[in-house]
Amino acid sequence: MLLGKEISGFGFALACDFLKELGYVNFGKPDVHIKDIFFTLGLCPKSDDYQVLKAIVRVAKNANVTPYNADKLFWLIGSGYFYNDKHIGKNGRIGNNRKKFISYVEKRQKHLL
């Protein structure tokens, strides 16, 4: 949060991404894909960057993975950009699957209730 306040143009999400990509695995980036998925599915009470970061950490802990890994999984689902796989789509792009994923999870949640 301090970096986001002190460096112009370097907001909270970008600061989280910077640390995450430097190798700090206890960070995720609260980007548009993750914010939408987490808020819509009720994993986070608000789509506020800080609240979403806390939700990423909580989900990761419950899944016994690092926040980096949880972030990457939801980002891949949301963005559809499998950049390290040249065999999938054009340049690794399979398209945004965020809405399909949210719909699938919502149906599963109703089935479990």
Side-chain angles (χ1 to χ4, degrees):
M1 288 186 284
L2 178 63
L3 292 174
K5 294 285 186 194
E6 295 292 329
I7 303 171
S8 177
F10 200 72
F12 181 76
L14 186 57
C16 289
D17 191 49
F18 176 75
L19 292 170
K20 175 179 68 94
E21 294 303 322
L22 278 177
Y24 292 96
V25 297
N26 291 321
F27 282 87
K29 177 186 178 191
D31 69 10
V32 65
H33 305 293
I34 296 173
K35 286 168 74 169
D36 188 28
I37 291 170
F38 276 45
F39 179 71
T40 304
L41 294 177
L43 295 171
C44 187
K46 298 191 275 185
S47 61
D48 165 84
D49 286 347
Y50 181 67
Q51 294 299 318
V52 173
L53 174 63
K54 287 174 48 177
I56 292 169
V57 171
R58 187 187 74 250
V59 167
K61 184 177 179 181
N62 288 334
N64 201 30
V65 298
T66 67
Y68 176 89
N69 292 121
D71 169 273
K72 191 61 73 177
L73 173 67
F74 286 104
W75 181 81
L76 289 169
I77 291 168
S79 72
Y81 185 32
F82 289 75
Y83 53 89
N84 283 336
D85 193 335
K86 296 174 186 158
H87 305 292
I88 299 176
K90 184 178 179 183
N91 298 323
R93 294 186 184 273
I94 62 169
N96 180 318
N97 286 296
R98 183 172 52 212
K99 289 181 183 173
K100 284 183 188 177
F101 177 75
I102 290 169
S103 175
Y104 173 78
V105 172
E106 287 175 333
K107 286 178 187 173
R108 296 284 298 166
Q109 286 175 333
K110 288 177 185 173
H111 176 71
L112 294 173
L113 298 175

